[in-house]
Amino acid sequence: MSVGEDPEKNVPPGREFQLPTDPDYLWDGLKDIGLGIRWVAEVKKADMQIELSGPKWEYKSYTIMEVIEEPGIVRDGIVTLVGPDLHEVEPGTSVPSAWDIKVYGPGIGQRHREYLERQMAMALHGIEGYMAFGSFQAPWMRISKAVAGRLTFAKLCQIIHAYIKTVVPQVEAMEFRWIIGAPEIGGLDLIEPLYRRGIQRLKAQEQSVALEDEDVDLFYGCTICKSLAPNHVCAITPSQIPYCGILSYNGAQVTVELDPEGYIFPMPKGECKNFLQGSYSGVDAAVYERSNHQVKRVNIFSAIRYPTTNCGCFEGAAFYIPEVDGLGVAIRRYIGVTPLGIKFSRLAGTISGGSQNHGYKGVSMRSMQSKTFLKGDGGWNRIVWMPADLKEEVAEYIPEEIYDKIATEQDTIDPVELKEFLKKKGHPVVEKFWKNGEPQSLNVPLPGGEWADE
Ligand code: SF4
Ligand SMILES: [Zn+2]
């Protein structure tokens, strides 16, 4: 080839293949090599050495990081393993687990816990043969056979110890206790009471730093997802965990302190324009400014009217079902069809990208636990459908009298049947939102549009 000649000219034509491009079928044809949407970053059952917790154990397990504020209690670098190590179990073992991580560092307090947890998740992310799903309170871990001869539970602790001490030098000591709930040490009978107490301890820790939206003048904003959705801005308030689930108000505050030039920024609340909907002048001003002047107003607590925008990394989403004038909520792991007649993956694709999609809002698992969850739309009184396992997972946050009245895929995914179900069960949406026993569908504006009645 001479200088200046186009090297492309010498490439033979080759063969072209068409991959599936429809969001519902992206993984089609890969099953025979063991891959599918459920297997992304997942260790398959057949390949696992051990599974810790997860649905089989109804998630009755925990990973709890605790900040100890007194010096001299946390023994640095100590790992106590209770039960068998990784190579000591039969391949394919599944057991519950209780993992306690204690941290001490001068100046490190309860409000830093979440930041440290995030660092821990970062440390574990992408380790060969290790997968983790779910939250710290409802973990699901698998470790593959391929690494069972090399990896140990102590090594996993070492990775966290080394990573956190490197990235957060203020941490002076970390101690671990990992209980692998094998039958010979007591199985679920041992773990379950510990789990119950652990969750209480965690709640107490959270309570100790819990704030209400009314307690603060400053919210926080995040624009990490701007690279994917240029007009997207998240507002983080004490009651609103953003839908990616990565940080809470305290976490945002600590992050701004440690990294003031980062993507997370203070968002003065300004004047409260509508308490129920969560409408604030300061939030609107900041969102307008940072959304390239595309989004003029947001209601923090509404999926229906002027919701916050969705970049794409939401754990779940709430969606308006016009036929019943109610809201459905689903999360990513639900692979069935929703009452909108589409799967979650398609729904997620449609509402991602950062425009204001009236009737749709990304939600996090933790935001479902908040008392302000969708309160602008009527809260749980408006939620009519959820996948069964999600409903179970957030059961304690759903008002008792409504729990049985929310339909799941096991009842129906058909809007006509859903309407009958809600009537029969006496769901509060019938009384509070329908008129004369009939749903009044809202005329939801197109993305980026305005409501006619306001
Ligand atoms: S989704 Fe999460 S990471 Fe993305 S902008 Fe919102 S808070 Fe930041
Ligand atoms: Zn995002």
Side-chain angles (χ1 to χ4, degrees):
M1 190 179 84
S2 61
V3 182
E5 199 184 320
D6 180 5
E8 283 288 342
K9 257 180 31 200
N10 302 324
V11 181
R15 287 169 292 164
E16 203 171 71
F17 298 89
Q18 171 69 62
L19 303 177
T21 55
D22 186 308
D24 286 350
Y25 303 102
L26 295 176
W27 292 88
D28 273 22
L30 297 177
K31 256 210 172 92
D32 52 349
I33 55 162
L35 287 175
I37 182 74
R38 297 272 304 171
W39 290 278
V40 180
E42 190 174 323
V43 176
K44 284 168 284 133
K45 208 168 179 176
D47 293 337
M48 74 189 190
Q49 174 73 7
I50 196 165
E51 172 178 72
L52 300 173
S53 182
K56 178 163 179 198
W57 301 99
E58 293 172 9
Y59 296 93
K60 286 176 182 154
S61 293
Y62 67 77
T63 300
I64 291 181
M65 183 178 267
E66 200 171 351
V67 173
I68 306 291
E69 295 186 25
E70 271 166 84
I73 295 175
V74 180
R75 299 177 305 159
D76 190 33
I78 299 290
V79 177
T80 307
L81 178 67
V82 183
D85 208 339
L86 205 53
H87 60 279
E88 293 165 346
V89 298
E90 286 293 319
T93 297
S94 179
V95 289
S97 132
W99 193 5
D100 290 282
I101 299 126
K102 291 193 162 61
V103 184
Y104 168 77
I108 295 201
Q110 293 309 329
R111 61 194 197 90
H112 295 92
R113 183 179 51 85
E114 192 185 86
Y115 182 78
L116 294 167
E117 275 179 356
R118 198 144 34 104
Q119 301 307 323
M120 172 169 161
M122 299 276 276
L124 292 171
H125 185 77
I127 293 177
E128 186 199 344
Y130 170 88
M131 80 137 220
F133 261 166
S135 62
F136 279 63
Q137 301 163 51
W140 182 12
M141 291 171 262
R142 275 181 183 176
I143 300 166
S144 84
K145 283 191 259 193
V147 296
R150 291 174 276 145
L151 197 61
T152 61
F153 290 122
K155 269 194 192 170
L156 282 168
C157 295
Q158 186 185 349
I159 295 165
I160 296 164
H161 182 258
Y163 186 91
I164 290 190
K165 281 192 141 188
T166 307
V167 297
V168 194
Q170 296 94 320
V171 170
E172 254 175 31
M174 288 187 79
E175 181 175 346
F176 303 80
R177 186 189 68 179
W178 205 340
I179 307 179
I180 310 302
E184 61 272 25
I185 64 153
L188 193 61
D189 290 344
L190 174 75
I191 302 289
E192 196 173 342
L194 291 169
Y195 158 79
R196 295 201 184 287
R197 214 187 45 191
I199 297 298
Q200 276 168 8
R201 247 168 51 212
L202 199 67
K203 279 203 183 132
Q205 282 182 42
E206 276 171 2
Q207 285 294 316
S208 75
V209 287
L211 293 165
E212 307 266 348
D213 291 358
E214 298 88 293
D215 298 341
V216 300
D217 292 325
L218 201 61
F219 292 159
Y220 290 91
C222 179
T223 53
I224 289 181
C225 294
K226 253 200 181 331
S227 54
L228 292 167
N231 302 332
H232 172 69
V233 188
C234 270
I236 305 162
T237 84
S239 77
Q240 283 291 298
I241 309 269
Y243 50 61
C244 62
I246 63 166
L247 80 172
S248 70
Y249 186 81
N250 282 304
Q253 195 176 40
V254 169
T255 310
V256 168
E257 276 169 33
L258 298 178
D259 182 14
E261 302 303 320
Y263 285 103
I264 298 174
F265 55 91
M267 195 187 248
K269 184 161 120 172
E271 174 209 342
C272 177
K273 297 196 282 185
N274 185 323
F275 179 71
L276 202 63
Q277 298 277 341
S279 160
Y280 296 90
S281 62
V283 174
D284 285 349
V287 168
Y288 184 61
E289 205 44 51
R290 299 205 185 220
S291 67
N292 304 315
H293 300 166
Q294 295 301 306
V295 182
K296 290 202 196 90
R297 53 184 284 196
V298 293
N299 290 329
I300 297 174
F301 306 134
S302 175
I304 300 177
R305 286 171 184 266
Y306 301 102
T308 47
T309 55
N310 304 307
C311 50
C313 59
F314 34 86
E315 294 179 327
F319 46 91
Y320 183 65
I321 310 170
E323 292 89 339
V324 291
D325 189 29
L327 288 167
V329 181
I331 53 172
R332 242 165 238 283
R333 69 165 184 255
Y334 174 66
I335 53 173
V337 174
T338 66
L340 298 181
I342 53 174
K343 291 184 181 175
F344 188 84
S345 51
R346 182 180 288 271
L347 168 69
T350 315
I351 64 172
S352 293
S355 52
Q356 189 167 46
N357 280 284
H358 303 281
Y360 303 93
K361 179 180 169 67
V363 297
S364 62
M365 287 299 293
R366 284 199 287 171
S367 69
M368 293 178 219
Q369 305 173 5
S370 164
K371 57 182 182 199
T372 61
F373 183 52
L374 300 177
K375 83 171 173 167
D377 301 326
W380 290 103
N381 286 327
R382 198 70 175 279
I383 295 169
V384 296
W385 188 92
M386 295 170 92
D389 67 339
L390 173 63
K391 189 173 141 181
E392 242 171 67
E393 209 173 319
V394 295
E396 65 174 298
Y397 303 97
I398 304 177
E400 221 182 304
E401 66 284 4
I402 301 179
Y403 188 82
D404 287 332
K405 300 173 181 164
I406 298 176
T408 74
E409 76 281 17
Q410 291 160 6
D411 301 303
T412 182
I413 53 160
D414 173 61
V416 177
E417 283 177 23
L418 180 59
K419 186 176 148 189
E420 289 313 309
F421 177 96
L422 299 170
K423 264 194 207 166
K424 201 172 92 201
K425 295 276 182 181
H427 189 292
V429 77
V430 177
E431 176 81 2
K432 293 188 195 302
F433 293 92
W434 295 8
K435 289 210 174 76
N436 306 321
E438 278 301 312
Q440 310 293 308
S441 308
L442 296 169
N443 212 347
V444 179
L446 289 171
E450 313 226 334
W451 285 79
D453 57 356
E454 270 182 68

